[in-house]
Amino acid sequence: MKHLLKLLDLSGEEIIEILNLADQLKYEQKHGISHRLLEGKTLGCIFQKSSTRTRVSFEVGMYQLGGYPLFLSSHDLQIGRGEPVQDTARVLSRYLDGIMIRTFEQDEVETLASVGSIPVINGLTDFCHPCQVLADLMTIRELKGSFEGLKMSFIGDGNNMMNSLIVGGLKVGMQVSVACPEGYEPDRRVLDFAAGNPGFSMHRKPADAVKDADVVITDVWTSMGQEEETERRKIAFAGYCVSDSLMENAKPDAMVLHCLPAHREEEITASVFEKHASEIFEEAENRLHAQKAVLVKVMGNK
Ligand code: CP
Ligand code: NVA
């Protein structure tokens, strides 16, 4: 695996390999077994949007793997003043061993990878959030034992999370059902990928999507960069809250995930959030283990 740009680029087997390595690294870390698999390597972490989990998990992950992370905020980089990504990629390729980037346009990440000569990891774009969904899949397998026979439902915006969950969930063999209001559907590339897969269904009513679900997932109604649409979105997404009454449609032992940050009483009630807090924070912890697995896959000695 050269880069992690989007889950559409990976096979189901490659995703499972990353999850297996993530499980192993989690076990080793919990048992004090050192794994300095990226000794002396450097990772530049470019952030054009805010972050808590992605920034900290990549920085700590690199440190635990024996490497060195550099936090590169677009406020300080010349990229923030308009230096082309093509030039930035060619310069950084001469200093670093890898780049993690969080930005707006998926094209920017793809360009960075095609023009530069070092591995590129997508730390979130408007299109997708592959690192988060690897952690989500890791958490689902950890808590449910396997993906076999599972139904995963996503309620809310057809955003980066919905896009990656549809692709990742179907690739590992789960059934995936989503519910979103009209005009907030997932990306066309994702719908094309899911088309014809009998495991995929899209609904308008959240209750239809979560029927007999084993895993229920949601995310904010207004993603980073869409702040001006907040009020319009609150109206469009009314009725798309993951509440106790909605959860009555899912299986009694259904788990709930949220990539965080969460807005209580918007996309999820405080009651559902707290009932499922142990799952949601395991998911957050698994960002660290999943990110380390991705780093080793793209930057480790082959
Ligand atoms: N879930 C997630 O990516 O969190 P951050 O925005 O804090 O990195
Ligand atoms: N959909 C959210 C995810 C944040 C981790 C956003 O893009 O802001």
Side-chain angles (χ1 to χ4, degrees), residues 49 102 124 129 159-161 219-220 222-224 259-261:
K49 292 175 177 172
R102 166 169 286 197
L124 179 146
H129 199 358
N159 63 12
N160 40 22
M161 281 302 299
D219 183 21
V220 291
T222 301
S223 286
M224 290 180 278
C259 65
L260 303 176

Side-chain angles (χ1 to χ4, degrees), residues 73-90:
S73 159
S74 61
H75 296 300
D76 306 316
L77 290 176
Q78 294 288 9
I79 210 169
R81 292 181 56 246
E83 183 170 13
V85 70
Q86 290 88 337
D87 295 355
T88 309
R90 284 178 285 185

Side-chain angles (χ1 to χ4, degrees), residues 51-54 102 129 132 259-260 287:
S51 171
T52 298
R53 282 143 289 268
T54 305
R102 166 169 286 197
H129 199 358
Q132 177 69 51
C259 65
L260 303 176
R287 289 296 303 275

Side-chain angles (χ1 to χ4, degrees), residues 25-250:
L25 294 170
K26 182 171 186 175
Y27 175 89
E28 289 177 0
Q29 198 212 325
K30 301 274 178 203
H31 291 81
I33 302 166
S34 131
H35 40 225
R36 297 174 66 85
L37 299 167
L38 298 181
E39 188 82 56
K41 301 230 169 155
T42 50
L43 177 78
C45 301
I46 302 175
F47 283 92
Q48 311 227 41
K49 292 175 177 172
S50 304
S51 171
T52 298
R53 282 143 289 268
T54 305
R55 175 177 177 181
V56 177
S57 59
F58 270 101
E59 291 198 20
V60 172
M62 267 311 271
Y63 173 78
Q64 291 179 354
L65 291 165
Y68 181 77
L70 290 89
F71 172 66
L72 303 170
S73 159
S74 61
H75 296 300
D76 306 316
L77 290 176
Q78 294 288 9
I79 210 169
R81 292 181 56 246
E83 183 170 13
V85 70
Q86 290 88 337
D87 295 355
T88 309
R90 284 178 285 185
V91 171
L92 294 183
S93 292
R94 289 167 185 257
Y95 300 143
L96 299 167
D97 298 296
I99 295 173
M100 192 288 304
I101 179 166
R102 166 169 286 197
T103 188
F104 296 86
E105 297 293 327
Q106 179 71 15
D107 275 356
E108 192 177 340
V109 179
E110 306 271 348
T111 303
L112 200 58
S114 65
V115 175
S117 55
I118 55 175
V120 173
I121 299 169
N122 182 344
L124 179 146
T125 58
D126 293 343
F127 172 57
C128 65
H129 199 358
C131 291
Q132 177 69 51
V133 168
L134 289 170
D136 291 8
L137 295 175
M138 177 183 179
T139 311
I140 293 167
R141 194 173 68 161
E142 187 177 322
L143 299 181
K144 293 286 183 192
S146 100
F147 295 120
E148 209 173 321
L150 293 188
K151 175 175 173 182
M152 177 176 85
S153 301
F154 182 94
I155 305 303
D157 190 18
N159 63 12
N160 40 22
M161 281 302 299
M162 190 193 279
N163 287 334
S164 288
L165 282 164
I166 293 171
V167 176
L170 292 176
K171 286 203 178 211
V172 300
M174 284 190 284
Q175 279 187 63
V176 180
S177 62
V178 301
C180 55
E182 203 178 338
Y184 295 93
E185 289 82 7
D187 191 276
R188 172 51 48 200
R189 288 163 282 183
V190 170
L191 290 176
D192 287 346
F193 164 78
N197 187 323
F200 177 68
S201 60
M202 190 161 77
H203 308 264
R204 288 288 171 232
K205 289 190 188 150
D208 292 342
V210 301
K211 191 171 169 4
D212 297 327
D214 300 279
V215 187
V216 177
I217 309 182
T218 188
D219 183 21
V220 291
W221 294 340
T222 301
S223 286
M224 290 180 278
Q226 301 171 334
E227 287 76 8
E228 284 180 3
E229 299 173 25
T230 303
E231 291 312 314
R232 178 151 53 91
R233 285 171 169 271
K234 275 187 188 165
I235 295 166
F237 287 96
Y240 285 79
C241 177
V242 176
S243 60
D244 284 307
S245 61
L246 182 67
M247 288 302 294
E248 280 172 19
N249 299 281

